[in-house]
Amino acid sequence: MRKAYPAGMRTEQRRPTGRPRGFDVDEALERAMMVFWEHGYEGASLATLTAAMGISTTSMYATFGNKEELFRKALGRYTEGPSAYLDRALEESTALGVATAVLAGTVRTTTRPAQPNGCLGVQSALVTSDSGREVRDVLVAWRDNGFRAIRERFERAVEDGDLPGEADPALLARYVTTLSFGIAVQAAGGVGRDELQELADAALRNWPLT
């Protein structure tokens, strides 16, 4: 959700020395992101990834590192691309505007016809074995980054008088992020955009106002 990456995550590409590559790195990473988004971390096999990226396993390792490193880069791309709605939402002038924009952004991003349904950061963490523990930890940190950003924004809203003094910014931030992740899961299960937006609207009807 947010452009504050967990330790170890980087989005820049390291170019090894040697002969030039015969493929577009950005396009390959975009395709890898889509595979992870659709299949999750463990469901995305190396064969599926390299076939989608149009490169060999050797080229993948040379350019992106192992599967975990590739996933970190793909998650960074997702954060800066499809999930960038969070950063824009945080710039809304009111806390209610922030919450509305976060949920609307989630609905849009998780239900676009031209891309997988659901959220890469949620789908990839639903099933991970012990071998995927580090990726699971990366995703926990990724989700926590979004929660902290919203909580801090709501803390400012209390200070500014936009939220009542008795409002709990952490609880409200957890409420919004839980709704967002729940919407993503429902979208992955085939629930339509209109229904999910109605759910988001209903969830905010009792938002605390000054």
Side-chain angles (χ1 to χ4, degrees), residues 36 53 68 172 207:
F36 283 125
M53 296 165 77
E68 180 184 324
L172 288 174
W207 188 260

Side-chain angles (χ1 to χ4, degrees), residues 46-59:
L46 284 177
T48 302
L49 284 164
T50 53
M53 296 165 77
I55 62 176
S56 67
T57 303
T58 301
S59 293

Side-chain angles (χ1 to χ4, degrees), residues 14 20 32 41-42 46-47 63 88 99 103 108 136 141 151 188 192 199 208 210:
R14 295 180 179 178
Y41 176 73
E42 292 201 343
L46 284 177
T63 306
R88 296 190 294 270
L103 297 186
R108 287 195 309 272
R136 183 177 60 212
R151 183 199 67 204
L199 170 65
T210 54

Side-chain angles (χ1 to χ4, degrees), residues 12 26 40 72 79 82 101 112 116 143 156 169 174 181 197:
E12 66 268 16
D26 286 339
R72 289 172 183 263
T79 302
R112 285 193 178 119
R143 293 191 299 274
R156 294 198 303 274
R174 189 66 71 190
F181 298 145
Q197 187 58 59

Side-chain angles (χ1 to χ4, degrees), residues 1 121-122 125 136 138-148 181:
M1 294 171 70
V122 174
R136 183 177 60 212
V138 165
L139 290 168
V140 168
W142 183 81
R143 293 191 299 274
D144 284 347
N145 284 338
F147 162 74
R148 282 196 300 272
F181 298 145

Side-chain angles (χ1 to χ4, degrees), residues 43-196:
S45 67
L46 284 177
T48 302
L49 284 164
T50 53
M53 296 165 77
I55 62 176
S56 67
T57 303
T58 301
S59 293
M60 190 205 82
Y61 279 112
T63 306
F64 301 104
N66 60 23
K67 180 182 176 183
E68 180 184 324
E69 291 168 337
L70 174 62
F71 178 79
R72 289 172 183 263
K73 291 179 173 68
L75 183 61
R77 189 177 185 88
Y78 180 81
T79 302
E80 295 177 342
S83 192
Y85 63 84
L86 175 62
D87 284 340
R88 296 190 294 270
L90 294 172
E91 297 174 359
E92 292 288 332
S93 60
T94 65
L96 177 57
V98 171
T100 300
V102 168
L103 297 186
T106 302
V107 171
R108 287 195 309 272
T109 301
T110 59
T111 58
R112 285 193 178 119
Q115 63 191 27
N117 289 339
C119 169
L120 186 153
V122 174
Q123 300 303 109
S124 296
L126 292 179
V127 179
T128 52
S129 63
D130 288 343
S131 62
R133 183 175 302 168
E134 290 190 11
V135 166
R136 183 177 60 212
D137 291 344
V138 165
L139 290 168
V140 168
W142 183 81
R143 293 191 299 274
D144 284 347
N145 284 338
F147 162 74
R148 282 196 300 272
I150 296 172
R151 183 199 67 204
E152 290 169 1
R153 176 62 182 82
F154 289 168
E155 288 172 349
R156 294 198 303 274
V158 171
E159 294 172 358
D160 295 341
D162 175 47
L163 282 173
E166 66 273 14
D168 185 336
L171 181 61
L172 288 174
R174 189 66 71 190
Y175 178 65
V176 170
T177 53
T178 299
L179 282 169
S180 178
F181 298 145
I183 286 171
V185 172
Q186 292 294 311
V191 179
R193 175 177 291 191
D194 291 344
E195 184 175 349
L196 291 173

Side-chain angles (χ1 to χ4, degrees), residues 14-36:
R14 295 180 179 178
R15 290 185 174 271
T17 58
R19 61 185 179 182
R21 301 190 188 100
F23 63 93
D24 186 302
V25 174
D26 286 339
E27 182 178 349
L29 184 58
E30 176 76 14
R31 293 179 179 181
M33 180 192 75
M34 299 295 279
V35 172
F36 283 125

